[in-house]
């Protein structure tokens, strides 16, 4: 058994020919650049690319396999150098049972299975060439199709105020929209962690995953997990999500929820934090607020305790969040330690001190130990690191 770093929610911004996939994502977020960034710069062993339903992306992957650049693994997944790609897609459900739109992730074991799924989706979405498309189908039917193809079904960033399970999709329970038995895991999102999710009794049976939802190359790996597997394959990942045969997630690494964009409730007009009990913004007088994850959880919390043994959730701060650690400094660090995972997890304090100022060293060590001071974010604005 070995431990592997996995980030299972990465978008594609453009195809090989330059066509848009995730319109809001960076133009440099191509399939090729994702694989290189993950393997050579980030040190991520497993990446979930969640726009693999796009026909041109599938064709690109097939060509890379035919050329020998990539290899399709017998137990699922596609190998590129030190990284394995998991074939995924993100879809938006808004059926007659939803209170609002819900984003979900689906993963397929092989290119052939994803081609079948893409053909099925093509009749149910407006544009199969784009990311995060609304599927005109019942949520439970989608779940059943994913399972028919031996896939994984995972609600995405489940507390985000916009387009998520609890943020917009249901009043109180996932059973309002989904078949609970056909959910393989839930993705927590940037503004929550394990202790927050455990306040909801119906989530206790599921494995929690933490992913970047990267819209640019630097954002890859801002949240991830360490997984114990026999090998980095789809079949092994499925076992880990079920915690079977010794396969399991051994640690979740995610932003301190305060650093997420939606932790506190804020005014939609000016961004001021909402005061408890006040119906209007004290700064601008607006009555429109974006409800924060912390406030939504108070509505959903139950008294049931989770007896399941959870892996530690480590409040990881990406290097890009550390004040004063810019691109040039990061290049110096990578020249010595190769990947960001090595810098964050392995580099000794004295080794870091030989390359960067003492203050930056203290930030990195404090980030590693979850001791950085942060200011809460909300209304679409990230929180900030304020000190050690």
């Amino acid at each position: 058994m070995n431990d592997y770093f996995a980030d299972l929610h990465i978008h594609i911004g453009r195809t090989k020919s330059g066509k848009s996939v995730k319109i809001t994502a960076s133009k440099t977020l191509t399939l090729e650049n994702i694989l290189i960034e993950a393997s050579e710069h980030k040190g991520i062993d497993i990446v979930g690319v969640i726009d693999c339903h796009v026909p041109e992306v599938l064709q690109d992957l097939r060509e890379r396999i035919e050329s020998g650049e990539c290899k399709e693994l017998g137990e699922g997944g596609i190998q590129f150098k030190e990284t394995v790609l998991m074939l995924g897609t993100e879809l938006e459900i808004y059926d007659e049972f939803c209170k609002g739109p819900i984003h979900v992730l689906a993963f397929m074991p092989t290119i052939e299975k994803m081609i079948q799924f893409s053909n099925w989706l093509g009749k149910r979405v407006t544009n199969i060439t784009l990311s995060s498309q609304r599927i005109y189908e019942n949520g439970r039917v989608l779940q059943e199709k994913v399972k028919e193809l031996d896939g994984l079904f995972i609600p995405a960033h489940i507390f985000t105020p916009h387009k998520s399970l609890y943020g917009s999709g249901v009043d109180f329970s996932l059973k309002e929209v989904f078949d609970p038995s056909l959910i393989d895991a839930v993705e927590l999102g940037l503004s929550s962690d394990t202790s927050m999710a455990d306040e909801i009794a119906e989530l206790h049976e599921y494995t929690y995953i933490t992913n970047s939802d990267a819209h640019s190359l630097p954002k890859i790996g801002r949240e991830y997990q360490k997984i114990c597997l026999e090998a980095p394959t789809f079949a092994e990942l499925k076992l880990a999500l079920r915690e079977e045969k010794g396969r399991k997630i051994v640690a979740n690494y995610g932003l301190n929820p305060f650093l997420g964009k939606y932790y506190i409730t804020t005014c939609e007009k000016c961004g001021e934090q909402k005061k408890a009990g006040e119906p209007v913004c004290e700064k601008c007088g607006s009555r429109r607020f974006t409800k924060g994850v912390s406030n939504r959880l108070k509505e959903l919390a139950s008294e049931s305790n989770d007896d399941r043994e959870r892996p530690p959730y480590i409040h990881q701060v990406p290097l890009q969040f550390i004040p004063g650690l810019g691109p040039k400094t990061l290049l110096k660090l990578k020249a010595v330690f190769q990947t960001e995972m090595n810098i964050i997890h392995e580099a000794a304090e004295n080794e870091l001190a030989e390359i960067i100022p003492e203050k930056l060293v203290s930030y990195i060590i404090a980030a590693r130990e979850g001791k950085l001071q942060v200011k809460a974010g909300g209304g679409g604005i990230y929180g900030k690191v304020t000190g050690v």
Side-chain angles (χ1 to χ4, degrees), residues 164-289:
S164 79
L165 178 61
Y166 294 110
S168 61
V170 301
D171 285 327
F172 294 105
S173 174
L174 58 85
K175 296 175 184 176
E176 296 167 30
V177 178
F178 297 126
D179 180 343
S181 69
L182 300 182
I183 293 175
D184 294 284
V186 294
E187 181 186 66
L188 298 185
L190 303 183
S191 296
S192 63
D193 60 16
T194 295
S195 63
M196 294 170 69
D198 274 347
E199 295 179 32
I200 301 175
E202 68 177 359
L203 293 181
H204 294 175
E205 65 181 284
Y206 300 114
T207 295
Y208 299 155
I209 62 173
T210 42
N211 302 307
S212 68
D213 194 359
H215 285 50
S216 65
L217 292 172
K219 294 295 192 295
I220 294 174
R222 64 179 170 181
E223 291 203 346
Y224 50 96
Q225 45 265 304
K226 184 188 291 184
I227 312 181
C228 179
L229 306 170
E230 188 71 35
T233 67
F234 183 91
E236 289 281 310
L237 174 62
K238 182 180 285 190
L239 288 173
L241 296 184
R242 296 173 179 173
E243 296 187 346
E244 295 179 353
K245 299 182 179 180
R247 281 72 163 176
K248 61 182 179 179
I249 292 176
V250 296
N252 293 102
Y253 296 89
L255 298 182
N256 182 318
F258 278 48
L259 287 175
K261 295 193 291 184
Y262 299 106
Y263 183 75
I264 57 176
T265 297
T266 58
C267 174
E268 289 187 5
K269 185 176 180 181
C270 71
E272 184 74 7
Q273 182 175 349
K274 185 181 187 298
K275 302 301 182 198
E278 293 295 330
V280 299
C281 175
E282 65 175 18
K283 184 175 181 180
C284 72
S286 172
R287 292 179 176 271
R288 296 180 61 85
F289 297 91

Side-chain angles (χ1 to χ4, degrees), residues 126-158:
T126 301
N127 192 337
I128 194 66
T129 68
L130 294 178
S131 175
S132 309
Q133 289 289 282
R134 178 168 295 177
I135 178 172
Y136 296 93
E137 185 58 271
N138 180 279
R140 289 179 175 85
V141 172
L142 172 61
Q143 287 182 283
E144 291 166 0
K145 186 62 181 181
V146 171
K147 293 304 173 182
E148 177 188 319
L149 295 170
D150 302 317
L152 298 170
F153 183 87
I154 302 171
H157 44 74
I158 58 174

Side-chain angles (χ1 to χ4, degrees), residues 277-351:
E278 293 295 330
V280 299
C281 175
E282 65 175 18
K283 184 175 181 180
C284 72
S286 172
R287 292 179 176 271
R288 296 180 61 85
F289 297 91
T290 299
K291 186 179 293 184
V293 171
S294 58
N295 298 91
R296 176 61 171 146
L297 275 167
K298 290 178 182 177
E299 300 173 354
L300 297 167
S302 63
E303 296 180 359
S304 175
N305 294 318
D306 187 2
D307 295 328
R308 177 174 181 162
E309 184 179 347
R310 294 284 184 185
Y313 189 106
I314 299 168
H315 285 162
Q316 190 69 55
V317 177
L319 295 175
Q320 290 78 16
F321 274 74
I322 294 178
L325 204 163
K328 291 183 179 179
T329 303
L330 186 55
L331 282 175
K332 289 181 181 179
L333 289 168
K334 285 183 177 179
V336 176
F337 303 110
Q338 282 76 56
T339 70
E340 291 188 25
M341 292 299 104
N342 288 339
I343 297 166
I344 292 171
H345 294 287
E346 306 296 339
E349 187 171 353
N350 64 309
E351 293 176 322

